[in-house]
Amino acid sequence: MSACVPTRADDPSRAERTHEPHSPPPPRHRRHRIAGADVSASIAVFLIALPLSLGIALATGAPLQAGLVAAAVGGIVVGWLGGAPLQVSGPAAGLTVVTADLIHQYGWRTTCAITVLAGLAQLGLGSLRVARGALAVSPAIVHGMLAGIGVTIAVAQLHIVLGGTPQSAVIDNLRALPAQLAELQPAAMSVSALTLALLLLWPRIPGRVGRLLRNVPAALVAVAGASSAASLAGLTLPKVDLPSWQSHALAGLPEGPVLGLIAAVLTTTLVCSVQSLLGAVAVDKMVAARPGLPARVGRSDLDRELLGQGAANIVSGTLGGLPVAGVAVRSSANVQSGAVSRNSTMLHGVLVVVAALLMVPILELIPLASLAALVMAVGIQMVSLHHIRTVTRHREVLVYAVTTLGVVCFGVLEGVALGIAMAVAVALHRLTRTRITHDEKEGVHHVHVRGQLTFLAVPRLSRALHLVPQGSRAVVELDGSFMDHAAYESLQDWQNTHTAHGGSVELVGRRAGVRIGEPTTPIGLHLDTGTAAAESADCRCHPWTAWRNHQCEIPDSVPSHDGRDAHPGEPQANTTGAADESGASRAPDASSGPAEPDTAGGSSSADGLTGGGGPSTGDRPGGSGRPGESGADASGGTDGIRPSAHQLARGISAFQRNTAPLVRGELARLAREGQQPSQLFLTCADSRLVTSMITSSGPGDLFVVRNVGNLVPLPGEESGDDSVAAAIEYAVDVLRVRSITVCGHSGCGAMQALLGSEPGDPQTPLRRWLRHGQPSLERLSDDSRPWARLAGRAPADAVEQLCLTNVVQQLEHLRAHESVTRALRAGELELHGMYFHVGEAQAYLLTEGQGDEVFDDVGVADLPA
């Protein structure tokens, strides 16, 4: 290591930076403070919640004060006790149909009692910690239920929009619609039309003025504008009537048939719980998209959220309020407005209380037609085209349609039951529906089995197999994931008989290199019989399987290092720079310290730069300096790896056979529509970094730029090579990516070369490129700057420290590019840092705050549900 690079572990001045991770923090007096972001977010949510709460109360037929009570209780109680800090609860549109039916059947006071009992049921479910189980309900059923509720709301409110009165059932409302259209009320129609127009156009005002105006919620603008217009025009319309709070009806003892009350409690509990829990998961996804916020807020505790919702329903029902659930519109507004804690939710509830007590004269100016138009728009939005496309893509549109129609025609509980029954029927149909075909191509008989292979398919399988002539070559393709004992025995018996008569059988599936040894086994396997598999050129290994680990072909033997014949798939002795699964050199263990790069003559091998730390062989006697070769191979032997041209051809052939049919449709769509990536991903050229694998991305997701050392040259310093700057400009200005990620990795050979560089080294193209990493070295040496570090442990060595520092430094270089600066200033772009530890297969994301730069690990539990 160069003497000019300080070893910080030996610097006594750095001792004060570290402390035991589990030691208690020093005691200090802290006053409870409310962040300014929470105050502004609470005001934004309040302005949305106020008109929506009144509108939902109107749609259910409840006293209008009940909507304000539920909004206040949902904000304060759930905000205080709930497990999703940024989710906002209150009267939800998804509960409108349920509550309206309850009021129609049992009256208002009994409905309040049912709300209290539903809250008690939620407390019980939360105590049993079964909240996560609610997410097992098929999304097609949940979306279908919400769509059915949305249709019901929209049809009912349409009558009020037209100046009439809705009926209790959707069918009755549809039948009465022609008569209502014949008796239009112009005043109600004009106010409703103005409300809908403002709702539609307000978010679409263009330019800088539009961005400023959009800070005011469209719902508030629509209701306020329509109310002002109605007052100025002197229109005579039914308006909000808020009686004195002294006459507000509270909960009473439940009256009615016991079974009916039990069904009502179960329905309310189901809808409230599922909507709240799904909303909490959705809020987690929105929180994860805001840099720095996940570490501050944390993931939702669903069981605690269920307990908080139960407590809120008990309080709301007792005080004469509507049922409470998580509300997607308000939660989204809360996150987008910059809320950072549960204080914003609680403050919004306090503001609702103040409005309910002090703003009654203003609220009574709102026409009911305007509120009805607002709620009708919400109902229409609940029928989401995005959800319809999603369930169609997953072949669950039948479940969605049955649930929606069931809710519209029979009610929420009945519709959900019908949806569950249809989902079970579809699952059984998929399990039992198996397509078996037989055809002959160039003398080879192919039997293709699509679907699960169970005893129900054995007769058809037997008929197809007996169409294969004795002594012929047969290929049986198993395109499924399950095979039971009866199908296994039938297939095995036929295979043994066919090979006994001189034929050959090859069974192939989705996975390779494993024999079928037991029944009731996943059938995506590759079974070899005789020599057929040895002759096959069809590769069915996982797409991320390294070439050297493919076991689906046994080619001619190749000599190993010690002169023995070796086959691919066997471990090979590699005396220096042993190859890992990707064919690149393995990095040495962190405990042994970084490998010293070979700088004799000023050159490093490509393997030393991107391989991650193996000793360079470029200047050793007999060494070729090429990846995968070492001095021990100077005699001309190979390391047991197949010729690269053959590997490449086999890989392309495997793609064309196995992967191309699966992605052809998506690639055809991308070819028609053009690429629209959401992110520019700038990372190292290291062969072990498979970007699509570590990000679980697919075609069209990432615009990837790779170079040695994941470097971003400062503007004007590329010496004729503007490729990185051009890629950044194209991604930001043309493709309009929303984020840029710089990803470093462990054992980076470029960082090792930087640490080992000397002032007198010859300026080869590689050395000239690596000068763009000098600012990272200088940052590492600057005692005035905080260290970039990993959460939970110190960097293993100086190389890892420089790898982390380099990511932070390249993010600063990014900010210097004009297109990036402009997009950041406009709030259209986010920058992220990432570090991937190759040996641990562990990703870390950079979180910057409080003057520190920490890379937090991303675990399975951190992924959104």
Side-chain angles (χ1 to χ4, degrees):
M1 182 182 300
S2 174
C4 67
V5 180
T7 304
R8 292 197 173 189
D10 300 330
D11 187 357
S13 66
R14 291 285 170 178
E16 62 183 13
R17 287 181 177 266
T18 60
H19 63 274
E20 291 297 323
H22 301 293
S23 62
R28 57 178 180 173
H29 178 70
R30 293 187 61 186
R31 296 192 311 170
H32 181 72
R33 294 182 177 179
I34 298 177
D38 284 333
V39 175
S40 61
S42 68
I43 295 173
V45 176
F46 160 73
L47 295 177
I48 295 174
L50 191 63
L52 281 177
S53 300
L54 293 172
I56 291 171
L58 173 67
T60 60
L64 295 183
Q65 293 102 320
L68 300 177
V69 170
V73 171
I76 297 173
V77 177
V78 182
W80 180 34
L81 301 176
L86 299 189
Q87 175 165 246
V88 181
S89 300
L95 293 162
T96 303
V97 175
V98 176
T99 309
D101 287 342
L102 295 180
I103 295 174
H104 179 72
Q105 292 183 28
Y106 302 106
W108 172 240
R109 294 171 65 88
T110 299
T111 299
C112 292
I114 290 172
T115 302
V116 173
L117 294 175
L120 291 172
Q122 287 180 301
L123 288 181
L125 294 175
S127 300
L128 294 175
R129 306 187 68 82
V130 297
R132 188 65 67 170
L135 303 181
V137 180
S138 168
I141 296 175
V142 176
H143 297 324
M145 176 190 73
L146 294 177
I149 292 172
V151 171
T152 305
I153 292 172
V155 173
Q157 297 309 299
L158 181 59
H159 281 270
I160 301 179
V161 167
L162 298 175
T165 303
Q167 307 295 320
S168 58
V170 180
I171 304 300
D172 295 336
N173 282 322
L174 291 175
R175 288 174 180 169
L177 196 56
Q180 185 64 59
L181 291 172
E183 300 178 359
L184 293 178
Q185 300 293 327
M189 275 288 296
S190 59
V191 169
S192 301
L194 178 59
T195 303
L196 293 174
L198 289 173
L199 276 175
L200 181 65
L201 299 177
W202 188 260
R204 292 170 172 81
I205 299 176
R208 182 176 301 177
V209 175
R211 284 198 299 270
L212 293 175
L213 293 177
R214 284 196 293 271
N215 291 326
V216 181
L220 178 68
V221 172
V223 173
S227 302
S228 301
S231 299
L232 293 174
L235 299 179
T236 303
L237 289 169
K239 295 182 179 180
V240 169
D241 182 17
L242 294 175
S244 171
W245 286 101
Q246 295 178 353
S247 61
H248 179 62
L250 304 179
L253 293 176
E255 299 178 358
V258 176
L259 292 179
L261 291 174
I262 292 175
V265 171
L266 291 178
T267 303
T268 307
T269 304
L270 171 68
V271 178
C272 287
S273 302
V274 171
Q275 183 166 345
S276 299
L277 296 176
L278 291 177
V281 173
V283 169
D284 280 346
K285 295 179 181 179
M286 289 186 284
V287 168
R290 280 180 54 187
L293 189 59
R296 183 168 182 176
V297 176
R299 287 177 56 81
S300 298
D301 183 340
L302 297 185
D303 292 304
R304 178 179 173 182
E305 179 66 14
L306 197 55
L307 291 171
Q309 296 288 342
N313 275 314
I314 292 174
V315 175
S316 180
T318 303
L319 297 179
L322 291 171
V324 172
V327 186
V329 176
R330 301 176 207 180
S331 302
S332 176
N334 193 36
V335 176
Q336 293 174 1
S337 299
V340 295
S341 72
R342 62 179 70 243
N343 290 332
S344 63
T345 304
M346 299 170 66
L347 278 174
H348 125 270
V350 173
L351 291 175
V352 172
V353 173
V354 173
L357 295 177
L358 304 179
M359 295 177 59
V360 172
I362 298 176
L363 297 179
E364 289 184 337
L365 296 175
I366 301 175
L368 296 183
S370 179
L371 291 179
L374 175 64
V375 177
M376 185 181 72
V378 173
I380 293 173
Q381 291 172 354
M382 293 173 70
V383 186
S384 171
L385 293 178
H386 171 71
H387 292 157
I388 294 175
R389 284 193 294 265
T390 301
V391 298
T392 302
R393 187 167 61 249
H394 291 282
R395 297 184 298 168
E396 293 187 335
V397 68
L398 188 60
V399 178
Y400 179 92
V402 168
T403 306
T404 301
L405 292 176
V407 171
V408 170
C409 298
F410 304 108
V412 174
L413 192 60
E414 294 84 352
V416 170
L418 288 173
I420 293 174
M422 180 54 64
V424 172
V426 169
L428 291 175
H429 175 71
R430 291 176 179 172
L431 182 63
T432 58
R433 183 173 179 267
T434 306
R435 294 181 58 191
I436 303 175
T437 59
H438 166 266
D439 62 348
E440 180 184 357
K441 296 179 181 178
E442 300 178 355
V444 180
H445 291 262
H446 295 265
V447 177
H448 195 177
V449 180
R450 297 180 181 87
Q452 318 313 318
L453 202 51
T454 65
F455 67 94
L456 297 173
V458 167
R460 287 180 289 135
L461 175 65
S462 180
R463 285 195 297 270
L465 293 175
H466 281 83
L467 294 176
V468 180
Q470 293 185 357
S472 62
R473 181 183 175 188
V475 177
V476 180
E477 300 180 41
L478 305 175
D479 189 4
S481 60
F482 176 80
M483 175 168 56
D484 70 4
H485 190 275
Y488 171 82
E489 284 198 346
S490 176
L491 190 58
Q492 189 180 53
D493 291 344
W494 173 83
Q495 171 196 332
N496 294 335
T497 303
H498 189 74
T499 53
H501 287 82
S504 65
V505 179
E506 180 186 355
L507 280 78
V508 296
R510 292 181 179 175
R511 291 193 298 165
V514 186
R515 281 185 171 272
I516 300 177
E518 295 294 338
T520 317
T521 306
I523 65 174
L525 309 172
H526 185 123
L527 178 97
D528 300 332
T529 302
T531 62
E535 300 169 358
S536 173
D538 294 327
C539 174
R540 287 189 172 270
C541 290
H542 283 303
W544 58 84
T545 304
W547 282 341
R548 65 174 290 113
N549 292 334
H550 280 228
Q551 301 177 4
C552 43
E553 181 187 21
I554 305 178
D556 296 335
S557 300
V558 292
S560 65
H561 288 289
D562 58 4
R564 296 180 295 104
D565 282 350
H567 297 280
E570 296 179 359
Q572 303 296 317
N574 198 350
T575 57
T576 62
D580 68 0
E581 288 190 0
S582 65
S585 298
R586 293 193 190 100
D589 292 338
S591 59
S592 64
E596 292 292 336
D598 187 353
T599 58
S603 64
S604 298
S605 69
D607 195 44
L609 281 170
T610 58
S616 175
T617 62
D619 299 313
R620 294 197 191 118
S624 66
R626 293 191 303 270
E629 296 186 9
S630 66
D633 290 295
S635 61
T638 68
D639 63 352
I641 302 178
R642 304 169 193 165
S644 59
H646 181 56
Q647 294 169 337
L648 182 62
R650 279 183 51 79
I652 296 172
S653 176
F655 166 79
Q656 292 298 147
R657 174 186 173 108
N658 305 324
T659 309
L662 302 177
V663 301
R664 187 169 286 120
E666 178 66 13
L667 290 177
R669 183 188 66 80
L670 290 172
R672 291 191 307 269
E673 300 176 0
Q675 64 168 327
Q676 296 177 347
S678 61
Q679 181 161 149
L680 166 60
F681 196 84
L682 196 151
T683 188
C684 185
D686 193 293
S687 60
R688 298 164 299 177
L689 286 181
V690 185
T691 56
S692 59
M693 181 176 72
I694 65 178
T695 60
S696 297
S697 56
D701 290 335
L702 302 180
F703 186 70
V704 182
V705 175
R706 305 187 70 151
N707 61 51
V708 175
N710 48 275
L711 301 178
V712 181
L714 286 167
E717 294 189 7
E718 296 200 46
S719 299
D721 180 9
D722 292 330
S723 60
V724 176
I728 294 171
E729 180 183 347
Y730 184 76
V732 175
D733 292 343
V734 179
L735 298 178
R736 300 288 182 181
V737 297
R738 295 187 295 273
S739 66
I740 302 179
T741 297
V742 176
C743 177
H745 68 95
S746 62
C748 180
M751 299 300 103
Q752 293 185 25
L754 271 175
L755 285 172
S757 62
E758 298 291 346
D761 289 341
Q763 291 301 302
T764 64
L766 179 60
R767 296 296 175 189
R768 286 196 296 271
W769 170 255
L770 288 181
R771 80 182 188 280
H772 299 302
Q774 285 296 326
S776 300
L777 269 180
E778 296 169 2
R779 187 186 191 96
L780 183 67
S781 308
D782 189 352
D783 292 340
S784 64
R785 298 195 179 195
W787 271 359
R789 57 188 177 86
L790 296 174
R793 69 171 177 87
D797 48 38
V799 175
E800 186 166 60
Q801 181 67 73
L802 182 56
C803 291
L804 297 172
T805 303
N806 184 55
V807 172
V808 178
Q809 183 63 38
Q810 301 313 312
L811 287 173
E812 287 195 6
H813 289 187
L814 265 176
R815 294 185 180 95
H817 285 259
E818 181 182 355
S819 56
V820 175
T821 303
R822 186 169 55 250
L824 287 173
R825 190 182 301 116
E828 299 170 350
L829 184 67
E830 297 176 351
L831 301 183
H832 303 285
M834 178 177 169
Y835 177 75
F836 185 74
H837 195 290
V838 177
E840 298 174 356
Q842 178 63 59
Y844 297 82
L845 289 177
L846 173 65
T847 58
E848 298 181 89
Q850 299 179 349
D852 208 356
E853 294 146 351
V854 182
F855 287 80
D856 284 327
D857 62 306
V858 180
V860 175
D862 298 325
L863 299 177

